[in-house]
Amino acid sequence: MSYLVEVNHLKKYFPLKKGVFSRHKDFVCAVDNVSFGISKGETLGLVGESGCGKTTIGRTIMKLIEPTSGNAFFDSNNLFLLNPKKLREIRKKIALVFQDPYSSLNPRMQVRDIIAEPLTTHTDIKNSQLRDKVLELLSYVGMGKEHMMRYPHQFSGGQLQRISVARALALNPSFMVLDEPTSALDVSVQAQVLNLLADLQETFNLTYLFISHNLSVVEHISHRVAIMYLGRIVEMGPTKNIFANPLHPYAKALLSAVPNPDPDHQQEEVILTGDVPSPVNIPEGCRFHTRCNYKMPICQRIEPDLKEKEPGHEVACHLY
Amino acid sequence: MDNVTSEVSQTGRFERVYYYLYLMRKNRLLMLGLCIGMILFLTALFAPWIATHPEDAYGSLNMKEKLRPPGADHFMGTDNYGRDIFSRVVIGTRKSLSIGIGIVLIALIIGLPLGLIAGYYGGKIDELLMRTCDGFLSFPQLLLPIVIGGVFGSSMKINMISLAIVWWPWYARLVRSQVLLVREQLYVMAAKSIGVKDRIIIVRHILANSISPVLVQVSLDLGYAILASASLSFIGIGAKPPAAEWGLMISEARPFFLNFWWTTTFPGLAIFVSVFAFNMLGDGLKEVLDPKVR
Amino acid sequence: MVIVLTVLTMVTFFFSTIAPSDPAALWVGPRPKPQQLERVREMLGLDKPIHVRYLHYVKNMVHGDFGKSIRTKQPITEELRRYFPATIELVTFAMIFSLIIGIPIGVYTAFNRESFWDHTGRIFSLSGVAVPIFWLGMMFQLLFCSFWDVLPLQGRISSYMLYTNPIDSITGFHLVDTAITGNWIAFKSAFIHMLLPAVTLSFASLAFIVRLTRSSMIEVINENYIRTARAFGIGENLIKYKYAIKNGLIPTITILGLSYTYEIGGSILVESIFDWPGLGRYMWLSVINNDYPGIMGVTIVFAVICCLVNLIADLLCALVDPRVRLTGSR
Amino acid sequence: MNRDNILLDIKDLHIEFSLYKSTLKAIRGISLTMHKGETLGLVGESGCGKSITASSIMQLIPCPPGKIVSGEIRFQGENLLIKNDNQMREIRGKTISMIFQDPMTSLNPVFSVGDQIKSVIKHHEKCSTTAALNKAAEMCSMVGLADPKSILKKYPHELSGGMCQRIMIAMALSCRPSLLIADEPTTALDVTVQAQILKLMRDLKKEINTSILLITHDLGVVAKTCEKVAVMYAGRIVEYGTLQHIFKNPQHPYTQGLLASTPKLGGDKNRLETIEGNVPDLTTQLNGCLFKPRCNAVNEKCAMESPGIKEVEQDHFLSCHLFNTVK
């Protein structure tokens, strides 16, 4: 099977400046050796708690952040080795939608100009053609002419997120990175945006990388899921398998911690002790061993690799 | 408290403009500053027609009228050469305003782009620029102009340039700090992800969203620049006699002002009022533009 | 800091060498003879190449020798040593004055927003930074010395005091010296001489401190943790004067260094008006007499003071704000 | 239900905020009864006024611009709205405590956490500093913080979000209040930490028998912790009942829509139901049922009069004209 998007051994360390006098440099290990692939038309959900590096992955793929090492392929072009001109070409095919709709749109620009920005940057469309195109894009997301001249502050969060999606669609991308697109929205509006995304995927055969901390949303929209902990993927596989039968102790705890809006839903709760360690001092060995309930001696020394347990279902744990 | 405090309006393209105009009208400070500022500019523009004895500003002596107190002929009295102080103060407006604007403009022209670049790109350039700024800012503002003036002799032009040299770091720092805030906004990253060119990002997204504190600073600084250049003239660097310059007029009156109060009081008031006006203007603008102070 | 000082010496030295007027000519006086000029040039070392002169200058400076003043023909180091305490005393007194007055006003107006005193304080602080201090000093002289005649016009101490109640110079600060030795008559004289210049000098930073304290206090009382304190039933006064003040004063402390350097700059103006025998007046005299070695000497001393003050301000900041203390960066 | 058992009784509360050129009627007539020992969840979307309701109980609404127009809040039989500041201060933190959404900014950054807990205890119990510090350490170990002595010496920025929230809870419970108001206590936290905090709150409730008013937008959190639920929409309570009533037998179209649009773990992968349209603009004069523009089953009555809140079965209250027709 060939992937549309493939990421190999991606690493991103952020240098941490400590004081004026100390020369010693620490690193925030945001993404540590992550590999995955996404087929065409598929949605890969990337879940994890805050600070686990999921947003960094999305931004590194877009080359908004320089990777420390590793490769990312899009349509068999290595994104990290392309010259700037080629990269601009490729970028048209990849779009990004951000978490916070209130700050991802420039408050001093009209909706018309916001949506037209990708078009004016990459194409020569002008005047009435441009206007028609903007209208068409707005109609995809269920908005119309009356919204074109307004400024972002005149819209609600859900509408703003629709505008962001419309902008992302402007250049007919084939791949979209959705960075927590619904976490700033209310549930009823979230449902609208999720449905919209599903519809668009069907209409344009889009491929999604869906980044979120909300497991219920990820389960709802993704075909496959990757669970991250402290910069690493600890478990990855088809959505159904992962949610029915999580293998990694962290995945188990995470799933059991999701509050289910059903009072009769009785589940055994796995409560983890302590907090996520700082990404500056990652524990030796398996990075989860400090909070793991199934800790073995080997976990303190050797870091487990992702291994295929069932077909397509990989897990990084010494238990398996 | 949810969205109680965000005053989102759903109607009208110019709603925001109206809103600012409304706040501006409501702000007495701003309006007062604006009025005095306008009067100052008009005075500067029509100075030769307003002054009752315009020739006095350019060094004509009239020893018969020496040190007259304020009266019908001389609203603010005369100085030790019999020159009409009112006329000299009025004509001095030109010099003070133009030097103030000059200083701020030069400082802005140097500081704004440097701050933008340092803030946007960061790294080594940023480090170098900020250390330079720190260096400048940790000394009294008047020190370097005094040294320069003391060494090169005094002239208004040198005065202006040397003040601009110590002034630009303030702008560089202000712009940089703003850019650092705006740069982290997601719309900048969104523009980058679309592939918009750096130049356009800087102008359309970053500059447009970080300019309002700079505007505030400019209006405040117009006043401070006038004050600083007057101070230099007072020390004896800058304007040369017989020029009609406020700081110089006060300095010239020093030997005898204890007996002839009007010789220093009025030029000083002129400085005070103009600096005060620009201060009010800047402070009012800040209240209008910055929701936090409101 | 060392870099800043090095650059500064280079800049000032560079300026003095490219200055349009000839130091030797100034040394000799009007209508010099060529031989005289030659001799003075040699004496001042002006015939050597520029980098040699610079190194020589720096070497001497490190040894505490700033050369001789062209104006007074005295060694500058000695003169600076004599004038140094007077300036420090004046500026520190002014600084303390502006803090003691400024912080309470700022806090009070912040807690009583939109009240009569708030508006008054606001106008005061706006005008404070707008008033030219040299003019203000002269107005004070007009009022207090000429019109009401309650305070001395200028100087650091009454001249007859030197005969009637001579001051034992221990620290060089008159107020401290007289207080230690119990010389209260001289103390009183020094104090009343200090009042006008110090108030004049502190005026701008006083206004600045009022403004800054007010705005930062207002910001702090809108913070979440103040709401928390209220939600736990802590009394309004305790919230204001214990919880909010510590947060609200942090910005004021961070600008202490800045205000001090600002007042040092202002001392040039104020000392020249009040004939205060300090560095600022020395600077002024050097400037109007084109005395480059003098200007350079004072500049270097001012720069060193400013660097030290900024360092102390940073340390003070770390003392108050635990966040700064731990991250170690500014 | 037993009358003496009523802890908190809110009657027809109206709150307004004056804004630039308009007035925001944030709370439009809320009536709510809470019994002793109960955990009540107040749910709703952003802007529906749930936080304002909570703050109004503590009288922490900044006024101006806020103003309680009418209504009455009875706590243990006493009307809180007629109490003066001093009397309220006695109640705040002692009999009613409150914790907030963002634990990191809710603690003062320049005082150590021990200092902050200590001063709350000292303020209400009038005891010595050492006694207060001991009590603080005791509270810390109660909320599951290991090594309380060293934690008390730390500053808020040295602690994680979860730890700060534990400190807040310790502070809130230190005087054994009869009511704890928790305003979105876990929204800023990660899921695994949220699970820790929710478990802690459940355990502590059993231990010290405090009633909890939990404000949240997350139906999952409510289902996990509460016994009773009140659903708010646009400044009104639209439905109020036990957990079973609301989740298993919702009657109001908004409650139904809200539940259907929430993705559930293990739920079917069909399209999510949505509630079309937007929340009404609360600065305008609104007549009739506020949910009418987004409701699929409107009748002529909805536009005319605002539906009052009625008990439709025991302990299940509803504010909808459709009730009889739906059944």
Side-chain angles (χ1 to χ4, degrees):
Chain A
M1 190 165 66
S2 78
Y3 291 120
L4 177 72
V5 180
E6 201 174 344
V7 169
N8 285 330
H9 306 293
L10 183 68
K11 282 186 191 174
K12 176 65 202 176
Y13 294 164
F14 291 103
L16 192 72
K17 249 185 87 180
K18 277 189 109 185
V20 194
F21 299 110
S22 75
R23 291 264 160 258
H24 175 70
K25 265 195 177 172
D26 277 334
F27 288 96
V28 176
C29 177
V31 178
D32 196 8
N33 207 357
V34 163
S35 308
F36 60 85
I38 314 172
S39 321
K40 194 155 181 53
E42 187 189 43
T43 303
L44 175 72
L46 200 55
V47 280
E49 297 179 286
S50 56
C52 72
K54 51 191 195 304
T55 297
T56 312
I57 289 187
R59 292 186 182 174
T60 322
I61 293 177
M62 298 293 293
K63 281 268 278 191
L64 292 174
I65 303 172
E66 286 295 316
T68 307
S69 70
N71 291 314
F73 294 92
F74 175 79
D75 230 355
S76 16
N77 293 298
N78 190 336
L79 289 172
F80 299 162
L81 295 178
L82 290 175
N83 62 27
K85 209 177 151 205
K86 200 84 202 305
L87 186 72
R88 269 168 68 85
E89 283 302 304
I90 294 283
R91 249 195 194 154
K92 290 194 214 166
K93 298 273 143 220
I94 312 178
L96 184 56
V97 175
F98 289 99
Q99 165 177 11
D100 184 358
Y102 296 97
S103 85
S104 62
L105 302 174
N106 188 338
R108 303 207 184 251
M109 280 164 78
Q110 288 176 2
V111 167
R112 182 181 58 172
D113 299 325
I114 291 173
I115 295 181
E117 192 167 35
L119 296 166
T120 50
T121 312
H122 290 286
T123 63
D124 294 326
I125 307 179
K126 281 208 175 68
N127 305 333
S128 65
Q129 258 185 309
L130 185 67
R131 195 186 133 85
D132 291 344
K133 181 76 187 164
V134 169
L135 267 178
E136 186 193 334
L137 289 167
L138 275 174
S139 71
Y140 289 153
V141 296
M143 296 175 83
K145 202 161 69 182
E146 69 277 13
H147 299 117
M148 281 192 19
M149 307 289 265
R150 294 199 189 154
Y151 287 90
H153 72 104
Q154 296 170 314
F155 292 97
S156 68
Q159 287 174 311
L160 290 178
Q161 206 58 304
R162 284 161 186 271
I163 294 168
S164 302
V165 172
R167 172 174 63 183
L169 288 174
L171 296 164
N172 300 321
S174 49
F175 174 51
M176 271 167 101
V177 177
L178 304 165
D179 189 357
E180 307 244 14
T182 62
S183 55
L185 307 176
D186 277 320
V187 237
S188 63
V189 183
Q190 165 174 289
Q192 294 170 9
V193 173
L194 288 178
N195 284 344
L196 172 72
L197 288 172
D199 292 345
L200 291 173
Q201 180 165 45
E202 211 166 288
T203 321
F204 298 106
N205 192 23
L206 291 170
T207 307
Y208 289 155
L209 174 63
F210 192 97
I211 297 166
S212 179
H213 68 273
N214 189 328
L215 284 129
S216 334
V217 170
V218 166
E219 191 204 9
H220 181 80
I221 200 160
S222 322
H223 303 106
R224 286 197 306 135
V225 175
I227 295 177
M228 288 189 72
Y229 184 76
L230 267 184
R232 274 215 146 188
I233 293 180
V234 294
E235 188 164 355
M236 178 159 65
T239 308
K240 240 187 284 153
N241 294 14
I242 293 221
F243 281 83
N245 178 26
L247 296 174
H248 197 280
Y250 175 66
K252 282 182 182 160
L254 194 64
L255 284 176
S256 84
V258 178
N260 202 323
D262 180 359
D264 295 342
H265 182 91
Q266 289 302 325
Q267 63 193 17
E268 167 210 15
E269 231 180 50
V270 189
I271 299 280
L272 290 177
T273 50
D275 288 300
V276 183
S278 147
V280 182
N281 304 308
I282 290 197
E284 289 274 313
C286 174
R287 50 195 67 202
F288 185 60
H289 83 255
T290 50
R291 301 171 76 196
C292 186
N293 299 332
Y294 304 93
K295 189 173 67 183
M296 298 182 291
I298 187 175
C299 299
Q300 292 181 28
R301 286 178 286 116
I302 296 163
E303 175 141 45
D305 286 323
L306 265 182
K307 285 188 291 273
E308 197 160 50
K309 176 73 181 6
E310 297 159 26
H313 189 164
E314 296 169 279
V315 61
C317 181
H318 289 303
L319 287 172
Y320 303 98
Chain B
M1 224 146 278
D2 300 324
N3 61 3
V4 170
T5 40
S6 74
E7 301 173 8
V8 179
S9 62
Q10 294 284 338
T11 49
R13 199 186 146 184
F14 295 106
E15 189 70 13
R16 177 178 288 218
V17 180
Y18 289 142
Y19 180 54
Y20 281 138
L21 283 179
Y22 164 83
L23 285 176
M24 277 165 85
R25 266 203 309 278
K26 221 177 67 170
N27 196 309
R28 269 174 289 174
L29 217 59
L30 182 86
M31 292 321 280
L32 192 61
L34 215 57
C35 285
I36 304 179
M38 288 300 283
I39 293 172
L40 280 174
F41 273 103
L42 290 178
T43 311
L45 209 61
F46 300 108
W49 292 277
I50 295 171
T52 47
H53 303 73
E55 69 285 353
D56 284 3
Y58 307 106
S60 79
L61 306 184
N62 197 354
M63 298 310 274
K64 268 192 299 199
E65 298 281 304
K66 188 173 140 181
L67 292 169
R68 289 275 162 85
D73 189 30
H74 303 284
F75 302 137
M76 298 179 181
T78 61
D79 65 6
N80 55 333
Y81 295 113
R83 296 174 298 193
D84 179 46
I85 293 180
F86 174 71
S87 305
R88 285 170 67 76
V89 166
V90 165
I91 289 183
T93 317
R94 288 188 155 186
K95 200 150 253 167
S96 290
L97 275 191
S98 56
I99 199 171
I101 293 170
I103 292 167
V104 173
L105 262 187
I106 300 175
L108 199 61
I109 289 170
I110 307 175
L112 187 77
L114 282 177
L116 268 180
I117 290 167
Y120 185 71
Y121 292 104
K124 287 258 153 46
I125 317 167
D126 186 31
E127 191 71 13
L128 183 71
L129 183 76
M130 280 308 111
R131 289 291 84 80
T132 319
C133 287
D134 282 350
F136 271 107
L137 300 188
S138 53
F139 298 113
Q141 222 170 13
L142 286 181
L143 195 59
L144 191 65
I146 287 175
V147 172
I148 295 176
V151 170
F152 286 103
S154 39
S155 100
M156 287 301 265
K157 219 175 278 165
I158 290 177
N159 224 341
M160 187 161 88
I161 293 168
S162 62
L163 274 172
I165 288 175
V166 292
W167 222 288
W168 70 265
W170 293 91
Y171 284 103
R173 219 156 84 147
L174 176 70
V175 172
R176 174 182 171 271
S177 68
Q178 279 300 311
V179 171
L180 284 187
L181 284 180
V182 176
R183 194 180 68 169
E184 296 305 313
Q185 297 293 311
L186 286 176
Y187 52 78
V188 174
M189 199 168 264
K192 271 194 215 167
S193 82
I194 291 166
V196 181
K197 292 196 184 77
D198 275 1
R199 191 162 38 86
I200 296 178
I201 292 183
I202 290 180
V203 174
R204 192 192 288 168
H205 296 285
I206 291 185
L207 190 61
N209 283 294
S210 51
I211 201 73
S212 51
V214 179
L215 283 180
V216 170
Q217 197 57 42
V218 164
S219 57
L220 287 173
D221 276 353
L222 276 175
Y224 295 140
I226 291 173
L227 185 60
S229 73
S231 307
L232 287 185
S233 292
F234 174 80
I235 296 177
I237 306 164
K240 281 265 164 254
E245 207 279 346
W246 297 337
L248 184 67
M249 286 165 76
I250 299 175
S251 168
E252 283 178 322
R254 276 189 65 191
F256 46 84
F257 81 98
L258 285 173
N259 299 320
F260 307 99
W261 58 272
W262 58 90
T263 48
T264 54
T265 307
F266 293 113
L269 265 181
I271 303 175
F272 172 65
V273 168
S274 35
V275 183
F276 192 47
F278 287 116
N279 263 339
M280 285 195 289
L281 193 66
D283 231 41
L285 262 183
K286 188 167 164 184
E287 273 175 37
V288 169
L289 294 175
D290 183 0
K292 230 178 10 188
V293 195
R294 211 182 290 149
Chain C
M1 198 173 111
V2 177
I3 301 167
V4 170
L5 285 179
T6 320
V7 171
L8 194 87
T9 57
M10 280 167 96
V11 169
T12 48
F13 187 80
F14 177 70
F15 282 154
S16 73
T17 53
I18 59 167
S21 48
D22 185 355
L26 288 167
W27 181 275
V28 177
R31 300 217 198 90
K33 294 188 191 110
Q35 309 96 295
Q36 266 181 322
L37 274 181
E38 208 53 47
R39 219 175 37 239
V40 171
R41 277 222 177 86
E42 215 168 297
M43 190 179 84
L44 295 175
L46 290 174
D47 50 346
K48 299 197 184 71
I50 180 164
H51 61 274
V52 178
R53 274 158 60 199
Y54 175 68
L55 285 177
H56 187 70
Y57 178 72
V58 171
K59 202 182 90 195
N60 283 342
M61 200 175 67
V62 171
H63 292 121
D65 179 8
F66 289 108
K68 275 187 179 175
S69 160
I70 296 175
R71 180 172 60 92
T72 59
K73 316 265 188 319
Q74 299 291 316
I76 293 171
T77 316
E78 237 166 71
E79 296 200 297
L80 292 184
R81 192 174 294 146
R82 197 162 66 235
Y83 293 138
F84 177 79
T87 294
I88 295 295
E89 187 176 26
L90 178 66
V91 174
T92 310
F93 189 84
M95 193 72 224
I96 292 171
F97 180 79
S98 51
L99 283 177
I100 289 179
I101 307 287
I103 290 178
I105 295 182
V107 171
Y108 181 82
T109 51
F111 290 151
N112 298 282
R113 271 180 93 179
E114 306 293 321
S115 67
F116 169 74
W117 288 111
D118 184 25
H119 291 298
T120 317
R122 200 121 174 251
I123 290 167
F124 165 74
S125 64
L126 271 178
S127 54
V129 282
V131 72
I133 56 169
F134 55 92
W135 177 70
L136 184 74
M138 289 163 83
M139 289 295 115
F140 279 160
Q141 285 181 329
L142 260 178
L143 281 180
F144 292 101
C145 317
S146 169
F147 193 63
W148 288 320
D149 195 19
V150 283
L151 289 171
L153 180 64
Q154 53 191 26
R156 200 178 171 196
I157 197 156
S158 309
S159 45
Y160 62 86
M161 205 59 70
L162 299 176
Y163 308 105
T164 54
N165 299 70
I167 297 166
D168 304 326
S169 189
I170 303 167
T171 55
F173 305 127
H174 279 2
L175 284 181
V176 180
D177 288 345
T178 49
I180 292 173
T181 51
N183 188 352
W184 297 114
I185 301 167
F187 179 85
K188 192 183 155 219
S189 169
F191 186 77
I192 59 169
H193 276 84
M194 174 86 83
L195 272 180
L196 276 189
V199 170
T200 311
L201 189 57
S202 69
F203 213 70
S205 49
L206 174 66
F208 188 56
I209 285 172
V210 168
R211 257 169 88 157
L212 190 74
T213 311
R214 177 180 179 270
S215 65
S216 75
M217 286 311 285
I218 287 176
E219 210 166 290
V220 165
I221 40 187
N222 288 324
E223 291 279 355
N224 275 351
Y225 48 80
I226 297 300
R227 181 186 62 180
T228 307
R230 283 210 183 103
F232 282 100
I234 310 274
E236 257 336 91
N237 284 331
L238 201 61
I239 289 178
K240 282 174 182 170
Y241 297 110
K242 185 183 168 198
Y243 287 77
I245 270 197
K246 203 167 167 192
N247 295 286
L249 288 188
I250 288 174
T252 311
I253 291 166
T254 50
I255 58 103
L256 278 187
L258 198 73
S259 320
Y260 202 88
T261 52
Y262 184 89
E263 289 190 355
I264 293 239
S267 73
I268 301 172
L269 296 163
V270 172
E271 288 183 5
S272 78
I273 293 166
F274 290 97
D275 208 21
W276 187 266
L279 295 173
R281 182 168 147 276
Y282 188 81
M283 180 70 145
W284 174 61
L285 291 171
S286 303
V287 165
I288 54 176
N289 292 302
N290 285 339
D291 180 1
Y292 309 123
I295 296 177
M296 279 155 75
V298 182
T299 308
I300 302 288
V301 173
F302 273 175
V304 172
I305 298 174
C306 291
C307 284
L308 283 177
V309 164
N310 280 313
L311 202 70
I312 293 170
D314 282 354
L315 290 176
L316 209 64
C317 217
L319 210 66
V320 184
D321 192 347
R323 286 164 296 186
V324 177
R325 205 182 307 160
L326 274 131
T327 48
S329 62
R330 285 192 294 163
Chain D
M1 259 246 178
N2 190 351
R3 276 271 136 208
D4 316 332
N5 222 2
I6 292 176
L7 179 74
L8 181 73
D9 195 13
I10 301 177
K11 279 197 191 117
D12 199 31
L13 187 70
H14 286 261
I15 299 176
E16 287 179 0
F17 287 82
S18 50
L19 305 176
Y20 150 71
K21 280 212 249 181
S22 58
T23 311
L24 181 109
K25 297 191 179 64
I27 304 294
R28 300 173 168 234
I30 280 187
S31 299
L32 191 66
T33 311
M34 203 178 156
H35 296 95
K36 278 185 188 134
E38 220 170 49
T39 308
L40 171 68
L42 198 56
V43 280
E45 297 181 295
S46 53
C48 71
K50 48 191 193 303
S51 289
I52 298 172
T53 312
S55 313
S56 71
I57 298 171
M58 295 287 267
Q59 292 204 37
L60 282 175
I61 290 180
C63 72
K67 191 181 163 211
I68 297 178
V69 182
S70 62
E72 151 173 320
I73 298 176
R74 289 191 168 275
F75 178 75
Q76 293 177 332
E78 293 176 70
N79 190 353
L80 294 182
L81 293 183
I82 56 168
K83 293 210 180 266
N84 66 21
D85 235 29
N86 275 330
Q87 291 166 318
M88 270 321 287
R89 256 204 295 286
E90 281 302 304
I91 292 170
R92 290 181 200 149
K94 186 154 192 191
T95 39
I96 311 180
S97 284
M98 189 162 178
I99 56 177
F100 299 95
Q101 171 169 2
D102 193 350
M104 300 293 261
T105 60
S106 295
L107 288 166
N108 195 324
V110 298
F111 291 96
S112 68
V113 292
D115 220 19
Q116 295 182 51
I117 305 183
K118 180 197 76 188
S119 55
V120 168
I121 296 174
K122 259 181 85 172
H123 182 73
H124 288 295
E125 313 238 303
K126 316 269 180 287
C127 56
S128 73
T129 306
T130 33
L133 266 178
N134 286 337
K135 180 93 189 269
E138 190 187 304
M139 291 309 297
C140 277
S141 49
M142 196 167 103
V143 296
L145 289 167
D147 195 8
K149 286 270 180 242
S150 72
I151 288 217
L152 286 179
K153 287 201 189 82
K154 295 209 162 153
Y155 289 90
H157 66 99
E158 298 171 83
L159 303 173
S160 68
M163 280 156 108
C164 282
Q165 196 60 291
R166 279 169 198 268
I167 296 283
M168 283 298 290
I169 293 175
M171 207 153 110
L173 296 183
S174 55
C175 295
R176 311 255 155 173
S178 19
L179 175 64
L180 173 68
I181 302 175
D183 187 356
E184 307 256 10
T186 57
T187 308
L189 306 174
D190 278 325
V191 219
T192 52
V193 183
Q194 166 172 294
Q196 292 171 4
I197 298 290
L198 291 180
K199 182 166 189 302
L200 175 73
M201 281 172 64
R202 283 199 303 269
D203 295 348
L204 286 177
K205 183 178 172 283
K206 269 181 224 145
E207 203 172 313
I208 63 176
N209 197 28
T210 298
S211 310
I212 298 177
L213 176 60
L214 179 75
I215 289 142
T216 181
H217 66 275
D218 190 337
L219 288 168
V221 170
V222 173
K224 233 176 176 176
T225 33
C226 300
E227 293 145 13
K228 291 241 179 115
V229 188
V231 183
M232 281 189 77
Y233 181 78
R236 286 193 185 146
I237 287 178
V238 292
E239 194 165 0
Y240 170 50
T242 62
L243 206 56
Q244 291 294 330
H245 287 146
I246 300 295
F247 282 88
K248 291 295 170 191
N249 184 23
Q251 293 294 331
H252 198 281
Y254 177 67
T255 318
Q256 292 165 351
L258 202 60
L259 277 165
S261 60
T262 311
K264 297 170 197 59
L265 270 196
D268 39 17
K269 288 206 68 174
N270 297 333
R271 280 179 74 84
L272 292 166
E273 296 285 329
T274 61
I275 309 173
E276 288 306 323
N278 289 307
V279 184
D281 183 2
L282 291 179
T283 57
T284 51
Q285 183 66 43
L286 298 164
N287 293 322
C289 172
L290 298 181
F291 189 61
K292 182 194 50 127
R294 303 174 75 182
C295 188
N296 317 330
V298 197
N299 64 21
E300 53 298 352
K301 229 175 158 188
C302 299
M304 310 292 290
E305 57 182 288
S306 154
I309 194 148
K310 295 182 290 275
E311 190 160 11
V312 291
E313 55 189 303
Q314 182 162 22
D315 284 342
H316 189 175
F317 298 84
L318 182 67
S319 160
C320 183
H321 289 307
L322 296 172
F323 176 65
N324 293 322
T325 45
V326 170
K327 262 243 155 127

